[in-house]
Amino acid sequence: MRNNMNKVTILSLAISMVLSTAAVAKVPASEAAKLSSELTPLGATRGANEDGSIPEWTGGITKPPAGYSVGQHHLDPFPDDKIEYIITASNVDKYKALLTPGQIKLFETYPNTFKMNVYQTRRSASYPEHVYQAMRDNAARTELVEGGNGIKQAAVGVPFPIPKSGLEAIWNHTLRYRGESITREAGQAAPTASGNFTFIGLSETLLLPYNVKDASPKELEETNILFKFKQKVTEPARLAGTALLVHETMDQVKTPRQAWTYNTGQRRVRRAPNVAYDAPGTASDGLRTTDDFDMYNGAPNRYNWTLKGKQELLIPYNDYRLHSDKVKYADILQPGHINPELVRYEKHRVWVVEANLKENTRHTYKKRVFYIDEDSWQVSVTDIYDNRDELYRVGMAHAINYYDVPTLWSTLDVFHDIQSRRYIAIGLDNETKMYDFSKKLNERDFTPAALRREGRR
């Protein structure tokens, strides 16, 4: 199989640079000004591609579709869109230039069942106006701290809308805007090869001081907190009450990630320094690592990061059918992969970022290639390689615009384990109440004492 990097279409610039230990400089004001002209506020190319199959960005979704009320599962704003073409194992060669090696591998692994229904491209990503302005400000002032393991002089939204390195690009994914606080009831499942599954229910809260509307870089640097995350298992009964608390830091050289767990058997809170990197994810059946959550999270210090440029790629997008409360988990979860009839793919431009494990550093994954949507900085696809340089896992994030915020975010993350022929689907919410982006949370909700109370409920 050809290396996918040989077919990357460079649409704006070719960058192959591994970051040194010095801080990366902010862009000059003249370059930052492009975020109000030829580039979108997030640094995407504003115009259409050459053949018009990727249209011009005109602001994304600016209002909810008729009939939607806050609290509902989000209605599909494009219900009349038709499938333009279908990719199967029999015609995949025709479309290889628009696919990653991992996506191609899925056709080889499941030739009789895996397919892609491709629809017209809708550049639906949108954000509040104050977020756009904050990102323009970030472009002209934000820097990486020494080694790239943190940032300074940034607040609200992506810190590097005009990235110059792979590290800057992956920080953009980590800090993309998802509102100021979120509560959600969702879950995950890891079907067996036959398709049987146990639903793992999760109650999660996320507090994002970094994204508060009036957040200032100075205050953020003083507290050194980017976000706080709390998760409790609600079902099945044998796991219910197990809980996790994470404080993610802005400068991870100054203070690494802090984490605590609550174990129902021991009925006590313990520090959890190993909740990071390639430690197994919560109740994941060994099918994802801790730093796979949200497609990638945590300190980037175990990899060398290279920004390869941009490519046109078929990625999951506007997956409102996967998000619908008219669909049951059993409709989604099938042997080998999720139900392809419920998945919508579109052609978008993506940033390509390659992460290679540093020498004398340990991780289950030797190489990871991230394909990041230019309009949102959401990692859309990731190809993951093992220490034999073979494809190990393929992750895909199925994004929608949560237009009540608005923000573009994944409704379901799926990691396919090529070697075991299994997968894990994270974020299943069809049979639960919808995310709440309006609930006011405070620091007291994210202490070890609060974790103990949460676990005992």
Side-chain angles (χ1 to χ4, degrees), residues 26-42:
K26 49 195 173 287
V27 301
S30 58
E31 193 170 0
K34 295 179 181 178
L35 299 171
S36 298
S37 55
E38 61 196 83
L39 302 178
T40 74
L42 279 81

Side-chain angles (χ1 to χ4, degrees), residues 278-315:
D278 58 355
T282 301
S284 65
D285 216 7
L287 293 172
R288 74 164 178 88
T289 61
T290 294
D291 61 8
D292 278 330
F293 189 76
D294 193 35
M295 301 305 286
Y296 183 81
N297 74 90
N301 61 318
R302 293 195 179 182
Y303 290 93
N304 291 317
W305 299 83
T306 306
L307 185 62
K308 293 289 190 175
K310 280 189 182 179
Q311 172 184 352
E312 293 183 358
L313 192 70
L314 294 173
I315 60 177

Side-chain angles (χ1 to χ4, degrees), residues 188-199:
Q188 63 187 41
T192 64
S194 64
N196 294 325
F197 66 89
T198 297
F199 179 76

